Amino acid sequence: MDLVQLQRQLVDYKTSLYNEGFLDEQFTQLQELQDENNPDFVVEVVSLFFEDSERLLNELTKALEQQSVDFKRVDAHVHQLKGSSSSIGAQRVQKVCIAFRNYCEEQNIEGCVKCLQQVRHEYSLVKTKLESMFQLQQQILSAGGSIPM
Amino acid sequence: MRAKQMLATMSHEIRSPLSGVVSMAEILSTTKLDREQKQLLDVMLSSGDLVLQLINDILDLSKVESGVMKLEATKFRPREVVKHVLQTAAASLQKILTLEGHVADDVPIDVIGDVLRIRQILTNLISNAIKFTHEGKVGVKLYLVPEPPFAKEGSQHGSDGSTANQSTTSASKTESYTSTSKTSSDQNEFHGKKNEGLCQNNSHREPGTPVTNGTTDGSEEQVELPATTVWLRCDVYDTGIGIPENALPTLFKKYMQVSADHARKYGGTGLGLAICKQLVELMGGRLTVSSRVNCGSTFTFILPYKGSTSCDSSDDPDDLSDMVDHDAMDEDETAGFFQFLPRTLGSLFSSNGSSRTQKLMPHNIGYAKSHKLDGLSENCYSFPMNNGPPKEIDSAVQISSEPGSSISHSWDPDNKSWICSEKSQAVEMKINTSGPQLPPKRQKKPDVGSLSKLNGRQQVLKNSTTSKPKILLVEDSKINVMVAQSMLKQLGHTIDVVNNGAEAVCAVQKHGYDLVLMDVCMPVMDGLQATRLIRSFEETGNWDAAAKVGIEQDSSQPGHTSPTKRIPIIAMTANALSESADECYANGMDSFVSKPVTFQNLKECLEQYLG
């Protein structure tokens, strides 16, 4: 695929992510923070997000497997996940977290377990999509082009 | 209480984008526009301003009521203030009214007080007066009075320097242009200085010397004599529709208008007088009113001021040289009378489109003509400041704008001929000669503008000792830290980062910060508690409260030395609902930004709190 086609594909892909709610304006904020002084900012932050989220999801799984669930602890983790997903613009993940927190408040185990499933699902979706997007970007860069923002 | 705080919070949030809209509109107005576009833009600007005024009113009121409002102590010149306020009002006047100002001779040249608030009060009263007066005049009388009975402390009312002692109502300084001996001695000065003043004149604002924290400028004025307290009484009078007796008691209450009809006909929120009253009382004074229906009203406020011991006589060379440093107009130091007669500005502005002439600053490019006032009493503005004492009021008031704008250039050369040719006409002054009837034009805007600009300047002065503001970021999430840090870096700041409230307290113990960005929910210690501990230190001067919860001060390092300086602490809260905002304020935070933090929010917050 030639450079222009790649670039167009990237733009379309990004647009679809916004349209489908995977990303929101906060992601745009991140992109705007990337410049010559900080050329890999977005990838760095997002990678950090992946790491952090995986840790949190594991903690959540463990916490919900307990005999007696510590909802405060669960809520604390979800709160963190909500915060970080909102900071990078992972909108759908953030939304599930909001619902998740409500269930925690209600101390509703079933609700929590369901939400955990959902959040895992949304997380893996957005992770895949972001990774694809980064790959596309990398291809463009390797072909000598620049990333259309 | 909550509703009020929420209103205050939202008002803050609303104000920023609204300012943005108004600023953009202002910029638009300097571009090439056809007549229709200019008219539309004018409406936009007026409306935007009105809303901004409203918001500022609301914020002011809640600030005053919650006791958060801090009063400044600035040295300023009452005559200047009166003149500027009248000038501004005159500029946007759309009715045939005479505006006048009398400042008694015994009023000191300089006094110390919260000039911004005083301007605000004066502007408010004057614009009210104008609003409710359809013919005749609106004026300001300022004079020294003995300490009023309601004053608690026994403060000596001052006479400083060469002023007459304890003359009370020398308010009989009316339309006569006979100068007093004092001003006549200044005549030569004024004449001599006149052209100089014109050329060098770059001042826009209060010539007062901004001071910080109530200390006064250590110039020569302060050396020998202790400051005294002077009580100045200010009457804002008009020949307007008056106020019925039964409406007087509720006049200063919030949201009250004289009647529903009044509200409908004249608009307004009814907040202005309430704010004025609160402010006046906060400053230790009183605001009263007397009125007769169909005759007019007089609003009176009496305030105490610390007298500065600066010389009154403008002959004093020290004084003059000192003034050169300020944005001062030397000549009018003792001029006590100003009058703005109705006048047309007609074609002057049409070439400039929707000229923002309301953004008037007392930077007058006007100059003297040698005709006596009597001959021209119908048609010119007496403006002693450029031309000398009241006796020789010759120049027309030049409604000028800030230097560099096209308005000042465009009519400068025209001036001469304009004055001469329109001698015999006294026409209603309009800015927009052909526009439709627009809402009251931006009467407060220059004041607000200058208020905020002056604030900015004062803040700059405060920060002038540190070249770079020190910011502390308190945040547990690594991702949020990364994002915030990057934003702050783009804004040109380097920051210290800690991950919880306890670490934040330690950091504050060790260093002085100019701003703290505090996450609310954190492990170990949350943001609210950390803020409480920091405030406790600021209030008590010690860290006992922190020690109680286990935070030991590192004794090897001396803590920073100014415990009473309040650090702005900004909450970063994920919960943007009003409950959370309330909690933040209740725990001592100054403001908040909602998460996720955006670049713009951060920028505005920093601008607000770092100046």
Side-chain angles (χ1 to χ4, degrees):
Chain A
M1 220 187 300
D2 78 343
L3 187 56
V4 175
Q5 275 185 305
L6 275 177
Q7 285 171 326
R8 202 173 300 151
Q9 196 184 10
L10 177 63
V11 171
D12 289 342
Y13 194 61
K14 245 195 246 178
T15 312
S16 75
L17 291 183
Y18 280 97
N19 289 341
E20 290 164 27
F22 286 104
L23 295 178
D24 65 23
E25 324 79 59
Q26 191 63 17
F27 189 77
T28 320
Q29 289 269 323
L30 291 191
Q31 295 188 304
E32 285 171 5
L33 290 171
Q34 184 162 302
D35 57 20
E36 322 77 55
N37 297 326
N38 222 339
D40 298 311
F41 181 69
V42 180
V43 172
E44 282 172 12
V45 179
V46 171
S47 307
L48 196 54
F49 169 69
F50 291 159
E51 262 180 54
D52 198 55
S53 306
E54 266 146 48
R55 175 187 64 89
L56 286 170
L57 289 171
N58 288 336
E59 294 288 331
L60 280 168
T61 315
K62 263 194 279 180
L64 285 173
E65 280 171 355
Q66 300 297 312
Q67 278 260 352
S68 154
V69 174
D70 181 353
F71 285 102
K72 271 219 170 114
R73 212 179 131 89
V74 174
D75 184 68
H77 292 314
V78 179
H79 173 79
Q80 285 209 349
L81 186 58
K82 174 172 162 265
S84 54
S85 58
S86 104
S87 287
I88 69 148
Q91 197 187 59
R92 280 157 71 142
V93 175
Q94 183 195 0
K95 285 199 171 142
V96 180
C97 288
I98 296 174
F100 202 152
R101 289 194 80 191
N102 287 336
Y103 284 126
C104 289
E105 217 177 288
E106 294 168 17
Q107 309 220 339
N108 180 337
I109 292 232
E110 256 188 57
C112 285
V113 170
K114 222 175 73 180
C115 271
L116 180 56
Q117 268 183 338
Q118 253 186 305
V119 91
R120 272 196 182 281
H121 177 67
E122 288 298 340
Y123 167 72
S124 64
L125 275 178
V126 79
K127 179 161 186 256
T128 313
K129 292 190 185 275
L130 284 171
E131 282 172 343
S132 308
M133 195 183 82
F134 290 146
Q135 262 183 357
L136 251 183
Q137 286 182 342
Q138 199 48 51
Q139 277 182 292
I140 293 172
L141 288 173
S142 311
S146 57
I147 311 293
M149 279 291 176
Chain B
M1 200 41 197
R2 264 174 158 204
K4 211 184 296 180
Q5 269 179 335
M6 180 174 143
L7 194 57
T9 308
M10 299 198 66
S11 302
H12 263 303
E13 299 294 306
I14 295 171
R15 188 161 63 174
S16 315
L18 187 55
S19 299
V21 171
V22 172
S23 307
M24 291 302 118
E26 284 180 3
I27 294 174
L28 253 183
S29 71
T30 64
T31 63
K32 192 156 179 231
L33 300 168
D34 66 38
R35 197 152 79 180
E36 196 198 347
Q37 288 173 318
K38 284 175 220 151
Q39 288 172 9
L40 295 172
L41 199 57
D42 270 337
V43 178
M44 267 180 71
L45 286 166
S46 303
S47 305
D49 268 347
L50 264 164
V51 180
L52 271 176
Q53 277 176 43
L54 256 175
I55 291 177
N56 286 329
D57 280 354
I58 294 171
L59 282 173
D60 273 350
L61 203 55
S62 51
K63 250 202 266 184
V64 174
E65 288 188 348
S66 60
V68 178
M69 176 161 280
K70 293 185 174 72
L71 295 176
E72 301 289 335
T74 311
K75 189 163 82 167
F76 68 95
R77 298 180 178 192
R79 287 167 183 79
E80 295 290 328
V81 179
V82 172
K83 189 174 57 194
H84 298 175
V85 175
L86 285 174
Q87 206 177 338
T88 308
S92 47
L93 195 56
Q94 288 198 311
K95 315 181 191 181
I96 303 183
L97 291 178
T98 300
L99 300 186
E100 53 190 30
H102 310 257
V103 180
D105 278 354
D106 54 16
V107 171
I109 304 280
D110 289 292
V111 294
I112 294 169
D114 190 333
V115 61
L116 303 178
R117 308 287 168 219
I118 290 161
R119 272 249 226 128
Q120 198 175 4
I121 294 167
L122 205 50
T123 304
N124 195 284
L125 293 176
I126 289 173
S127 53
N128 268 357
I130 291 175
K131 192 151 99 162
F132 294 104
T133 304
H134 306 304
E135 56 182 1
K137 61 184 178 186
V138 168
V140 178
K141 252 190 272 196
L142 186 64
Y143 46 101
L144 212 59
V145 293
E147 183 180 316
F150 63 76
K152 287 183 200 135
E153 314 104 351
S155 44
Q156 23 165 323
H157 51 283
S159 37
D160 42 346
S162 51
T163 54
N165 296 334
Q166 306 184 8
S167 53
T168 54
T169 53
S170 45
S172 48
K173 197 135 182 67
T174 53
E175 285 80 26
S176 73
Y177 294 100
T178 49
S179 58
T180 62
S181 55
K182 180 194 304 254
T183 47
S184 65
S185 73
D186 298 326
Q187 242 180 66
N188 298 327
E189 211 103 32
F190 292 161
H191 273 298
K193 285 256 178 258
K194 181 175 56 200
N195 294 320
E196 219 184 278
L198 289 169
C199 302
Q200 293 171 353
N201 224 333
N202 282 318
S203 62
H204 315 297
R205 319 244 178 273
E206 240 16 86
T209 317
V211 296
T212 56
N213 297 330
T215 56
T216 53
D217 161 68
S219 61
E220 76 280 1
E221 290 107 346
Q222 286 302 80
V223 172
E224 272 107 25
L225 307 172
T228 54
T229 301
V230 297
W231 289 85
L232 290 178
R233 175 173 157 152
C234 183
D235 298 324
V236 179
Y237 56 90
D238 64 67
T239 55
I241 63 177
I243 304 165
E245 229 175 271
N246 55 7
L248 288 176
T250 54
L251 208 58
F252 296 104
K253 292 215 157 68
K254 282 189 288 194
Y255 314 116
M256 298 297 272
Q257 298 254 17
V258 169
S259 72
D261 284 335
H262 272 76
R264 245 195 310 278
K265 186 170 172 203
Y266 293 97
T269 56
L271 272 180
L273 281 177
I275 294 177
C276 286
K277 180 160 190 287
Q278 299 255 26
L279 282 174
V280 169
E281 286 175 8
L282 194 66
M283 294 192 266
R286 285 288 181 276
L287 176 61
T288 53
V289 60
S290 77
S291 177
R292 274 185 69 189
V293 178
N294 295 327
C295 275
S297 314
T298 302
F299 282 79
T300 300
F301 62 95
I302 301 183
L303 285 175
Y305 304 82
K306 289 264 176 295
S308 126
T309 53
S310 63
C311 301
D312 289 319
S313 158
S314 57
D315 300 327
D316 186 341
D318 285 319
D319 211 20
L320 286 172
S321 59
D322 179 51
M323 280 189 280
V324 166
D325 296 336
H326 311 151
D327 294 332
M329 295 196 236
D330 320 351
E331 301 85 17
D332 64 324
E333 194 177 272
T334 52
F337 178 78
F338 325 102
Q339 193 180 51
F340 300 75
L341 292 153
R343 177 118 222 200
T344 184
L345 293 169
S347 56
L348 232 45
F349 298 98
S350 57
S351 59
N352 229 358
S354 68
S355 51
R356 299 295 307 285
T357 53
Q358 297 85 349
K359 220 181 187 142
L360 283 220
M361 290 307 150
H363 170 191
N364 283 291
I365 309 189
Y367 44 86
K369 284 285 172 250
S370 54
H371 27 255
K372 294 274 190 254
L373 176 71
D374 325 298
L376 277 184
S377 54
E378 292 314 298
N379 308 351
C380 72
Y381 303 118
S382 40
F383 220 43
M385 137 196 150
N386 277 334
N387 314 301
K391 183 175 197 172
E392 275 214 18
I393 302 193
D394 340 60
S395 78
V397 149
Q398 312 313 332
I399 308 296
S400 61
S401 52
E402 296 169 76
S405 94
S406 51
I407 297 176
S408 50
H409 296 319
S410 69
W411 58 259
D412 213 2
D414 294 337
N415 238 342
K416 280 190 164 117
S417 55
W418 174 61
I419 290 179
C420 295
S421 62
E422 297 211 13
K423 226 189 256 201
S424 51
Q425 298 172 20
V427 198
E428 179 171 354
M429 178 162 105
K430 285 194 281 189
I431 306 297
N432 241 357
T433 49
S434 51
Q437 195 57 302
L438 296 170
K441 267 191 180 271
R442 322 205 98 222
Q443 287 176 0
K444 252 192 191 166
K445 160 73 163 142
D447 207 51
V448 170
S450 59
L451 258 178
S452 54
K453 284 211 175 123
L454 197 49
N455 262 328
R457 216 166 55 160
Q458 286 180 332
Q459 285 199 343
V460 165
L461 277 167
K462 279 178 188 151
N463 281 333
S464 60
T465 47
T466 52
S467 51
K468 229 181 181 183
K470 263 198 117 176
I471 301 180
L472 178 67
L473 175 67
V474 188
E475 168 66 67
D476 60 325
S477 157
K478 286 190 280 244
I479 290 122
N480 294 346
V481 166
M482 208 170 157
V483 174
Q485 199 162 21
S486 179
M487 288 179 178
L488 289 164
K489 207 159 119 184
Q490 267 205 358
L491 287 166
H493 298 286
T494 44
I495 62 175
D496 290 345
V497 181
V498 292
N499 301 119
N500 63 55
E503 290 176 16
V505 172
C506 287
V508 170
Q509 280 177 338
K510 294 206 193 87
H511 315 284
Y513 287 99
D514 297 299
L515 185 82
V516 176
L517 293 165
M518 181 88 80
D519 187 20
V520 177
C521 294
M522 291 179 289
V524 181
M525 184 187 290
D526 68 41
L528 300 171
Q529 189 176 10
T531 304
R532 286 200 301 275
L533 292 177
I534 294 172
R535 295 301 183 217
S536 139
F537 165 68
E538 286 172 353
E539 284 157 23
T540 63
N542 61 57
W543 287 104
D544 294 348
K548 249 188 248 174
V549 290
I551 301 180
E552 292 302 327
Q553 196 168 359
D554 184 353
S555 50
S556 61
Q557 290 205 8
H560 68 92
T561 50
S562 48
T564 50
K565 184 174 162 207
R566 186 187 165 99
I567 306 173
I569 300 182
I570 314 295
M572 294 188 295
T573 162
N575 188 352
L577 299 177
S578 57
E579 291 99 60
S580 194
D582 272 5
E583 248 191 318
C584 293
Y585 294 131
N587 279 278
M589 283 157 154
D590 292 289
S591 182
F592 69 93
V593 290
S594 311
K595 285 182 166 177
V597 176
T598 61
F599 183 78
Q600 191 59 27
N601 288 349
L602 210 49
K603 180 167 180 241
E604 279 163 9
C605 184
L606 294 185
E607 275 170 9
Q608 187 174 7
Y609 287 95
L610 291 177

